[in-house]
Amino acid sequence: AVSNIAAALEAGVPVVSGTTGWLDRLEEVKTICAREKGAFFYASNFSIGVNIFFALNRYLARMMDQQPQYDVELEEIHHTQKLDAPSGTAITLAQGILDEITRKKSWINEKSEDPEALSIISKRIDPAPGTHEINYHSEIDSITIRHTAHSREGFAAGALMAAEWIVGRQGVFGMSDMLPF
């Protein structure tokens, strides 16, 4: 992915990417983008609904940071052809929780009893374009938020929106730059 992104930026072509697995080299891509005065747009998920869900997740996590009686875990379900686990969307959701809930220090892709670990449960079931669920639970009650994709159409629509939006811009962008929330 990085070599393709670099080649496009060096050719003056704006890049919209949703590919995961290379983000440890994001700083390198940002440097190339700045050097070439290019435009690069990255999102782990281009669905408008998922990005609203990202914002809702962060808002709820911020409130739940003050409620230590609740533990939190994340579950994601995708089709069996999806090779990465957890998904990039699940990792973005987990990072949103870790940024807001100070008692959580890291995520782990399995059920964990460690109070500092955020459990991500990854399931691969057909057919499933993508479901992500955040569950806060205590001895008294539970609070759950969920996003379920019914098709892949929303991902494509958001990517096309990003491709139109980036034209004529310079810099590194994400969905929070394009969307009004």
Side-chain angles (χ1 to χ4, degrees):
V2 174
S3 62
N4 290 334
I5 293 166
L9 290 171
E10 289 164 359
V13 176
V15 177
V16 174
S17 175
T19 304
T20 59
W22 64 271
L23 293 178
D24 57 328
R25 297 180 63 192
L26 181 59
E27 290 307 314
E28 179 183 341
V29 167
K30 288 179 178 181
T31 299
I32 295 166
C33 187
R35 181 185 72 223
E36 300 298 326
K37 297 181 175 47
F40 177 69
F41 192 109
Y42 176 77
S44 63
N45 193 307
F46 284 93
S47 162
I48 303 305
V50 166
N51 280 275
I52 292 169
F53 191 64
F54 287 157
L56 180 61
N57 174 57
R58 280 185 171 274
Y59 182 74
L60 180 56
R62 196 171 313 124
M63 290 192 307
M64 298 307 282
D65 187 40
Q66 304 304 311
Q67 304 301 323
Q69 70 273 25
Y70 288 89
D71 198 11
V72 59
E73 73 178 20
L74 193 158
E75 180 180 279
E76 54 110 358
I77 303 169
H78 286 89
H79 53 87
T80 58
Q81 289 75 41
K82 184 156 187 65
L83 300 179
D84 60 330
S87 66
T89 300
I91 292 171
T92 300
L93 288 163
Q95 191 58 54
I97 293 167
L98 295 175
D99 288 348
E100 301 295 341
I101 298 184
T102 56
R103 63 188 174 272
K104 294 295 182 183
K105 306 301 181 201
S106 62
W107 59 264
I108 184 168
N109 197 48
E110 61 187 34
K111 187 86 167 155
S112 174
E113 298 303 318
D114 179 352
E116 293 186 348
L118 170 61
S119 294
I120 301 176
I121 310 304
S122 297
K123 297 179 179 178
R124 299 296 176 257
I125 303 168
D126 283 327
T131 297
H132 295 85
E133 182 174 290
I134 313 295
N135 183 28
Y136 290 89
H137 50 89
S138 73
E139 293 292 322
I140 299 171
D141 59 7
S142 296
I143 300 168
T144 301
I145 58 172
R146 174 188 304 147
H147 177 272
T148 302
H150 301 297
S151 73
R152 301 201 48 81
E153 186 177 327
F155 309 121
L160 289 172
M161 184 185 296
E164 291 172 354
W165 182 88
I166 199 170
V167 172
R169 299 186 192 277
Q170 186 177 338
V172 177
F173 306 99
M175 294 297 277
S176 62
D177 297 304
M178 182 179 75
L179 297 174
F181 45 84

